[in-house]
Amino acid sequence: MRTILITGCSSGIGLETARHFGRLGWRVFAGARSPETAQELQTSAGELNLRVVRVDVTADQSVAACVDEVMAEAGRVDVLVNNAGIGGGGPVELASLERGHATFETNYFGPVRMMKAVLPHMRARGGGTIVNVSSLAGRVALAGHGHYAASKWALEAATECVASEVKPFGIRVALIEPGVVLTPIFAKSSTPLTAYAPYERAVRRLWSLFSRQLEKPTQPSDVAAAIEHAVETSEPKLRYLVGGDARTLMAARTKVSDEEWVAAQGEAEDESFYAAMERLMGAGLFR
Ligand code: NAP
């Protein structure tokens, strides 16, 4: 039976991915930093072949203990899915450095810690797959989202390097890049718009884009299916955009110069901003 270790399974994409692979008959080690409060996961663990393991991806010892536990029980990690992540932070001037550090500790150094712990075992076996859950924000930087985008851009760069480094050892690496997915991640940040003065404009526009995307949201199950595809396909790719919104935005952004992008995002008046975005990116994205 193939073994998969997934981080951040208490909710959202991680929970659904754990269930998805459990239903497919995999031996699933579902990581949660507080298993005792991860009730939905515990319920699924009782119904499917899921084993809940404690892991806080920001802590070296926790990561080492988790991987030791999986190796002791299963003797192998065929697939590692680095899914745990946090959002938010707001405009760069306003976001505390503490929040910036926390974002990088979780979204960038978390996957790095996990890869460092798992890769020696994969190399010893001569195979394995690592899937890093990035984001469209790892390709397209939106004003108001600086540290989050930066953490995902960093993850994208490191993943591209790791993919090349471990290829000679028979290890496959992929990036999953969803647009907006309907998960609890949005409810976890409840900062009011007024707290973002004088950058309310940028944050309001970002929220407006999210709201549009959430009208027809990608579901966590779509991301789980994309992860399965990345693991199983005989024609692997490095990057997988997930969701119509991600594909549309990425395709549009590649046709726009950096200078046009900065100028359009920096429009002082909302009407000029929406008009510029419509002209550059197509209608219906931001409102
Ligand atoms: P979510 O429901 O908030 O899930 C995030 C998971 O990460 C939770 O299980 C959370 O556990 C866990 N986590 C946070 N910090 C952790 C840590 N230090 N150690 C271990 N686990 C930790 O959000 P989601 O939307 O499913 O996010 C999953 C991934 O998808 C993230 O990497 C996110 O950046 C990415 N993503 C999400 C979207 C979207 O629109 N939702 C779009 C693109 C990419 P706790 O319950 O303990 O906090």
Side-chain angles (χ1 to χ4, degrees), residues 8 10-11 13 33 55-57 83 134 148 152 179 181 183-184 188:
S10 68
S11 62
I13 293 167
R33 69 178 154 174
V55 63
D56 178 343
V57 300
N83 164 74
S134 174
Y148 181 78
K152 295 294 190 182
V181 187
T183 74
K188 288 178 183 175

Side-chain angles (χ1 to χ4, degrees), residues 9 19 33-34 46 55 58 85 160 210 213 227 248 263 273 277 284:
C9 296
R19 287 170 170 158
R33 69 178 154 174
S34 308
V55 63
T58 65
E160 191 166 324
F210 289 164
Q213 291 170 289
I227 292 172
T248 304
F273 165 78
M277 280 300 173

Side-chain angles (χ1 to χ4, degrees), residues 253 255-266 276-277 279-280:
R253 177 64 183 87
K255 293 187 193 133
V256 173
S257 74
D258 293 342
E259 292 68 32
E260 287 173 311
W261 181 243
V262 171
Q265 288 204 91
M277 280 300 173
R279 179 172 50 78
L280 294 173

Side-chain angles (χ1 to χ4, degrees), residues 41-62:
L41 178 61
Q42 294 290 2
T43 305
S44 293
E47 295 160 0
L48 297 159
N49 193 23
L50 310 186
R51 169 93 160 73
V52 181
V53 284
R54 183 183 302 277
V55 63
D56 178 343
V57 300
T58 65
D60 294 346
Q61 281 187 344
S62 176

